[in-house]
Amino acid sequence: MTNAFWENCLHTWVWMVIGFGCLFSAAGVPGLDAGAGLFYWVVSGGVVDASHFDAPGMRISVSLVGAVMLGWGCAMLAVYRACGADVAVWRGLSRALLIWFVVDSVLSVATGFPLNAVSNAVFVALFMGPAVKLGFFSRGTASRSPA
């Protein structure tokens, strides 16, 4: 497959991040929380759903996570539009993503939500395909990267 294919996969992944950010941000509004409620129901093994968003602090926590994810996705979209899949830039973003993955997954397991770590792994795997194919981690492209 060509670099253009993998760049399109990366671009699609960025839009997926934005979509999930919107999904979780919407949980801040009663009646718009079904998508985030379904996600929480799945990763909690059927224990947590949108009805739990009314607990003190829960609705704001979920919506703030969504806002951060939305901002993260929009920042990556801006980077993609500015420089495409430039290895020098995406190598650093890849490191940031992997740091998020480790911290979020460890905390998910430690707090009793191991299925969230599984969803994180799927999320990262969808990124890693294009990242590897575009050379974000290869030694051959390391000399072009200041990161």
Side-chain angles (χ1 to χ4, degrees), residues 93-133:
L93 290 174
S94 298
R95 288 182 183 135
L97 177 70
L98 293 174
I99 290 167
W100 161 82
F101 171 71
V102 170
V103 172
D104 192 281
S105 296
V106 166
L107 291 173
S108 294
V109 171
T111 58
F113 292 88
L115 289 176
N116 189 58
V118 173
S119 75
N120 291 348
V122 171
F123 184 73
V124 169
L126 291 172
F127 173 80
M128 291 303 286
V132 169
K133 293 294 186 175

Short mmCIF file of all heavy atoms in Angstrom, two decimals, residues 93-133:
data_model
loop_
_atom_site.label_atom_id
_atom_site.label_comp_id
_atom_site.label_asym_id
_atom_site.label_seq_id
_atom_site.Cartn_x
_atom_site.Cartn_y
_atom_site.Cartn_z
N LEU A 93 4.53 13.47 18.42
CA LEU A 93 3.13 13.20 18.74
C LEU A 93 2.92 11.73 19.07
O LEU A 93 2.12 11.39 19.94
CB LEU A 93 2.22 13.62 17.59
CG LEU A 93 2.11 15.13 17.36
CD1 LEU A 93 1.30 15.42 16.10
CD2 LEU A 93 1.49 15.81 18.55
N SER A 94 3.66 10.86 18.41
CA SER A 94 3.57 9.42 18.69
C SER A 94 4.03 9.13 20.12
O SER A 94 3.41 8.33 20.83
CB SER A 94 4.43 8.63 17.71
OG SER A 94 3.96 8.81 16.39
N ARG A 95 5.10 9.77 20.53
CA ARG A 95 5.57 9.59 21.91
C ARG A 95 4.52 10.06 22.91
O ARG A 95 4.28 9.40 23.93
CB ARG A 95 6.88 10.34 22.12
CG ARG A 95 8.05 9.70 21.43
CD ARG A 95 9.33 10.46 21.73
NE ARG A 95 10.43 9.87 21.00
CZ ARG A 95 11.34 10.55 20.33
NH1 ARG A 95 11.28 11.87 20.31
NH2 ARG A 95 12.31 9.94 19.70
N ALA A 96 3.90 11.19 22.63
CA ALA A 96 2.85 11.70 23.52
C ALA A 96 1.70 10.72 23.60
O ALA A 96 1.16 10.46 24.68
CB ALA A 96 2.38 13.07 23.02
N LEU A 97 1.30 10.16 22.47
CA LEU A 97 0.22 9.18 22.46
C LEU A 97 0.59 7.94 23.27
O LEU A 97 -0.24 7.41 24.03
CB LEU A 97 -0.11 8.78 21.01
CG LEU A 97 -1.18 7.71 20.87
CD1 LEU A 97 -2.55 8.27 21.24
CD2 LEU A 97 -1.19 7.16 19.47
N LEU A 98 1.82 7.48 23.13
CA LEU A 98 2.24 6.29 23.88
C LEU A 98 2.31 6.57 25.38
O LEU A 98 1.98 5.70 26.19
CB LEU A 98 3.56 5.77 23.33
CG LEU A 98 3.47 5.21 21.91
CD1 LEU A 98 4.85 4.85 21.37
CD2 LEU A 98 2.51 4.04 21.82
N ILE A 99 2.70 7.77 25.76
CA ILE A 99 2.70 8.15 27.18
C ILE A 99 1.26 8.12 27.71
O ILE A 99 0.98 7.56 28.77
CB ILE A 99 3.36 9.52 27.40
CG1 ILE A 99 4.86 9.41 27.16
CG2 ILE A 99 3.06 10.06 28.80
CD1 ILE A 99 5.57 10.76 27.03
N TRP A 100 0.33 8.72 26.96
CA TRP A 100 -1.08 8.69 27.35
C TRP A 100 -1.54 7.24 27.51
O TRP A 100 -2.19 6.89 28.49
CB TRP A 100 -1.96 9.39 26.30
CG TRP A 100 -3.39 8.98 26.44
CD1 TRP A 100 -4.30 9.48 27.31
CD2 TRP A 100 -4.04 7.92 25.74
NE1 TRP A 100 -5.49 8.80 27.19
CE2 TRP A 100 -5.35 7.84 26.22
CE3 TRP A 100 -3.64 7.03 24.73
CZ2 TRP A 100 -6.27 6.91 25.75
CZ3 TRP A 100 -4.56 6.11 24.26
CH2 TRP A 100 -5.85 6.05 24.77
N PHE A 101 -1.20 6.40 26.53
CA PHE A 101 -1.64 5.00 26.54
C PHE A 101 -1.18 4.28 27.81
O PHE A 101 -1.97 3.62 28.48
CB PHE A 101 -1.12 4.28 25.30
CG PHE A 101 -1.33 2.79 25.33
CD1 PHE A 101 -2.60 2.26 25.19
CD2 PHE A 101 -0.27 1.94 25.50
CE1 PHE A 101 -2.81 0.89 25.24
CE2 PHE A 101 -0.46 0.57 25.55
CZ PHE A 101 -1.73 0.04 25.41
N VAL A 102 0.08 4.43 28.15
CA VAL A 102 0.61 3.74 29.33
C VAL A 102 -0.06 4.25 30.60
O VAL A 102 -0.56 3.47 31.41
CB VAL A 102 2.15 3.88 29.42
CG1 VAL A 102 2.68 3.39 30.76
CG2 VAL A 102 2.81 3.12 28.26
N VAL A 103 -0.10 5.56 30.77
CA VAL A 103 -0.67 6.14 32.00
C VAL A 103 -2.16 5.80 32.10
O VAL A 103 -2.64 5.31 33.14
CB VAL A 103 -0.45 7.66 32.06
CG1 VAL A 103 -1.21 8.29 33.22
CG2 VAL A 103 1.04 7.97 32.15
N ASP A 104 -2.91 6.03 31.06
CA ASP A 104 -4.36 5.79 31.08
C ASP A 104 -4.66 4.31 31.30
O ASP A 104 -5.56 3.96 32.07
CB ASP A 104 -4.99 6.29 29.78
CG ASP A 104 -6.51 6.33 29.85
OD1 ASP A 104 -7.14 5.27 29.72
OD2 ASP A 104 -7.06 7.43 30.03
N SER A 105 -3.92 3.44 30.65
CA SER A 105 -4.17 2.00 30.78
C SER A 105 -3.81 1.48 32.17
O SER A 105 -4.56 0.68 32.75
CB SER A 105 -3.41 1.23 29.70
OG SER A 105 -3.89 1.60 28.43
N VAL A 106 -2.68 1.92 32.71
CA VAL A 106 -2.30 1.51 34.07
C VAL A 106 -3.36 1.97 35.06
O VAL A 106 -3.79 1.21 35.94
CB VAL A 106 -0.89 2.03 34.43
CG1 VAL A 106 -0.63 1.90 35.93
CG2 VAL A 106 0.17 1.29 33.63
N LEU A 107 -3.80 3.21 34.95
CA LEU A 107 -4.82 3.73 35.86
C LEU A 107 -6.16 3.03 35.66
O LEU A 107 -6.90 2.82 36.63
CB LEU A 107 -4.96 5.24 35.69
CG LEU A 107 -3.76 6.06 36.18
CD1 LEU A 107 -3.92 7.52 35.81
CD2 LEU A 107 -3.55 5.88 37.67
N SER A 108 -6.47 2.67 34.43
CA SER A 108 -7.72 1.93 34.17
C SER A 108 -7.72 0.60 34.89
O SER A 108 -8.70 0.23 35.54
CB SER A 108 -7.91 1.71 32.66
OG SER A 108 -8.11 2.94 32.01
N VAL A 109 -6.63 -0.12 34.78
CA VAL A 109 -6.53 -1.42 35.46
C VAL A 109 -6.53 -1.22 36.97
O VAL A 109 -7.24 -1.92 37.71
CB VAL A 109 -5.27 -2.18 34.98
CG1 VAL A 109 -5.04 -3.43 35.82
CG2 VAL A 109 -5.40 -2.54 33.50
N ALA A 110 -5.76 -0.24 37.45
CA ALA A 110 -5.65 -0.01 38.89
C ALA A 110 -6.98 0.39 39.53
O ALA A 110 -7.21 0.11 40.70
CB ALA A 110 -4.59 1.06 39.17
N THR A 111 -7.85 1.03 38.76
CA THR A 111 -9.13 1.48 39.31
C THR A 111 -10.28 0.53 39.00
O THR A 111 -11.44 0.85 39.25
CB THR A 111 -9.47 2.90 38.82
OG1 THR A 111 -9.53 2.89 37.39
CG2 THR A 111 -8.48 3.93 39.32
N GLY A 112 -9.95 -0.64 38.45
CA GLY A 112 -10.97 -1.65 38.23
C GLY A 112 -11.69 -1.60 36.89
O GLY A 112 -12.77 -2.17 36.76
N PHE A 113 -11.11 -0.93 35.90
CA PHE A 113 -11.72 -0.85 34.58
C PHE A 113 -10.76 -1.36 33.51
O PHE A 113 -10.36 -0.62 32.60
CB PHE A 113 -12.14 0.59 34.27
CG PHE A 113 -13.28 1.06 35.12
CD1 PHE A 113 -13.04 1.64 36.36
CD2 PHE A 113 -14.59 0.89 34.70
CE1 PHE A 113 -14.10 2.06 37.15
CE2 PHE A 113 -15.65 1.30 35.50
CZ PHE A 113 -15.41 1.89 36.73
N PRO A 114 -10.38 -2.64 33.58
CA PRO A 114 -9.41 -3.17 32.62
C PRO A 114 -9.89 -3.15 31.17
O PRO A 114 -9.06 -3.09 30.25
CB PRO A 114 -9.16 -4.60 33.10
CG PRO A 114 -10.38 -4.95 33.89
CD PRO A 114 -10.83 -3.66 34.52
N LEU A 115 -11.21 -3.18 30.96
CA LEU A 115 -11.70 -3.12 29.58
C LEU A 115 -11.41 -1.78 28.93
O LEU A 115 -11.32 -1.68 27.71
CB LEU A 115 -13.19 -3.46 29.51
CG LEU A 115 -13.53 -4.92 29.79
CD1 LEU A 115 -15.04 -5.12 29.78
CD2 LEU A 115 -12.86 -5.84 28.78
N ASN A 116 -11.24 -0.73 29.73
CA ASN A 116 -10.83 0.55 29.15
C ASN A 116 -9.42 0.44 28.60
O ASN A 116 -9.11 1.02 27.57
CB ASN A 116 -10.94 1.70 30.16
CG ASN A 116 -10.74 3.03 29.48
OD1 ASN A 116 -11.47 3.38 28.56
ND2 ASN A 116 -9.73 3.77 29.91
N ALA A 117 -8.56 -0.30 29.29
CA ALA A 117 -7.20 -0.52 28.77
C ALA A 117 -7.25 -1.26 27.44
O ALA A 117 -6.45 -0.99 26.54
CB ALA A 117 -6.36 -1.28 29.79
N VAL A 118 -8.20 -2.18 27.31
CA VAL A 118 -8.37 -2.89 26.04
C VAL A 118 -8.81 -1.91 24.95
O VAL A 118 -8.28 -1.93 23.83
CB VAL A 118 -9.38 -4.05 26.18
CG1 VAL A 118 -9.70 -4.68 24.83
CG2 VAL A 118 -8.87 -5.10 27.16
N SER A 119 -9.76 -1.03 25.27
CA SER A 119 -10.19 -0.04 24.27
C SER A 119 -9.04 0.90 23.91
O SER A 119 -8.90 1.31 22.76
CB SER A 119 -11.42 0.74 24.74
OG SER A 119 -11.10 1.69 25.73
N ASN A 120 -8.21 1.23 24.89
CA ASN A 120 -7.02 2.05 24.62
C ASN A 120 -6.09 1.34 23.65
O ASN A 120 -5.52 1.96 22.75
CB ASN A 120 -6.25 2.34 25.91
CG ASN A 120 -6.97 3.26 26.85
OD1 ASN A 120 -7.97 3.89 26.49
ND2 ASN A 120 -6.50 3.32 28.09
N ALA A 121 -5.92 0.02 23.85
CA ALA A 121 -5.04 -0.76 22.97
C ALA A 121 -5.56 -0.77 21.54
O ALA A 121 -4.78 -0.65 20.59
CB ALA A 121 -4.89 -2.18 23.51
N VAL A 122 -6.87 -0.89 21.37
CA VAL A 122 -7.45 -0.84 20.03
C VAL A 122 -7.21 0.54 19.41
O VAL A 122 -6.80 0.66 18.24
CB VAL A 122 -8.96 -1.16 20.07
CG1 VAL A 122 -9.63 -0.89 18.73
CG2 VAL A 122 -9.18 -2.61 20.49
N PHE A 123 -7.43 1.57 20.18
CA PHE A 123 -7.23 2.95 19.74
C PHE A 123 -5.78 3.17 19.28
O PHE A 123 -5.52 3.72 18.21
CB PHE A 123 -7.58 3.87 20.92
CG PHE A 123 -7.51 5.33 20.63
CD1 PHE A 123 -8.47 5.95 19.86
CD2 PHE A 123 -6.50 6.11 21.17
CE1 PHE A 123 -8.43 7.31 19.61
CE2 PHE A 123 -6.43 7.47 20.94
CZ PHE A 123 -7.41 8.07 20.16
N VAL A 124 -4.82 2.70 20.08
CA VAL A 124 -3.40 2.85 19.74
C VAL A 124 -3.04 1.98 18.54
O VAL A 124 -2.27 2.40 17.67
CB VAL A 124 -2.50 2.56 20.96
CG1 VAL A 124 -1.04 2.45 20.56
CG2 VAL A 124 -2.66 3.68 21.98
N ALA A 125 -3.59 0.78 18.47
CA ALA A 125 -3.30 -0.11 17.33
C ALA A 125 -3.75 0.54 16.01
O ALA A 125 -3.05 0.43 14.99
CB ALA A 125 -3.99 -1.45 17.52
N LEU A 126 -4.89 1.22 16.04
CA LEU A 126 -5.36 1.91 14.83
C LEU A 126 -4.42 3.03 14.42
O LEU A 126 -4.32 3.37 13.25
CB LEU A 126 -6.78 2.44 15.04
CG LEU A 126 -7.87 1.38 15.13
CD1 LEU A 126 -9.20 2.02 15.55
CD2 LEU A 126 -8.01 0.63 13.81
N PHE A 127 -3.72 3.60 15.37
CA PHE A 127 -2.71 4.62 15.09
C PHE A 127 -1.40 3.99 14.62
O PHE A 127 -0.74 4.50 13.72
CB PHE A 127 -2.45 5.48 16.33
CG PHE A 127 -1.31 6.43 16.17
CD1 PHE A 127 -1.48 7.62 15.48
CD2 PHE A 127 -0.06 6.12 16.67
CE1 PHE A 127 -0.41 8.50 15.32
CE2 PHE A 127 1.01 7.00 16.51
CZ PHE A 127 0.83 8.19 15.84
N MET A 128 -1.03 2.88 15.25
CA MET A 128 0.29 2.29 15.00
C MET A 128 0.45 1.77 13.58
O MET A 128 1.55 1.82 13.03
CB MET A 128 0.58 1.17 16.00
CG MET A 128 0.78 1.68 17.42
SD MET A 128 2.11 2.88 17.58
CE MET A 128 3.51 1.80 17.42
N GLY A 129 -0.62 1.29 12.97
CA GLY A 129 -0.51 0.83 11.57
C GLY A 129 0.05 1.93 10.68
O GLY A 129 1.13 1.77 10.08
N PRO A 130 -0.63 3.07 10.58
CA PRO A 130 -0.09 4.16 9.78
C PRO A 130 1.26 4.67 10.29
O PRO A 130 2.16 4.98 9.51
CB PRO A 130 -1.14 5.26 9.87
CG PRO A 130 -2.38 4.59 10.31
CD PRO A 130 -1.98 3.37 11.07
N ALA A 131 1.43 4.75 11.61
CA ALA A 131 2.68 5.28 12.18
C ALA A 131 3.88 4.44 11.76
O ALA A 131 4.92 4.97 11.37
CB ALA A 131 2.58 5.33 13.70
N VAL A 132 3.74 3.13 11.82
CA VAL A 132 4.84 2.25 11.43
C VAL A 132 5.06 2.32 9.93
O VAL A 132 6.20 2.45 9.46
CB VAL A 132 4.56 0.79 11.89
CG1 VAL A 132 5.53 -0.19 11.27
CG2 VAL A 132 4.62 0.72 13.42
N LYS A 133 3.98 2.25 9.16
CA LYS A 133 4.11 2.27 7.69
C LYS A 133 4.67 3.58 7.18
O LYS A 133 5.33 3.62 6.15
CB LYS A 133 2.76 1.97 7.03
CG LYS A 133 2.29 0.56 7.26
CD LYS A 133 3.21 -0.42 6.59
CE LYS A 133 2.68 -1.82 6.67
NZ LYS A 133 3.49 -2.77 5.94
#
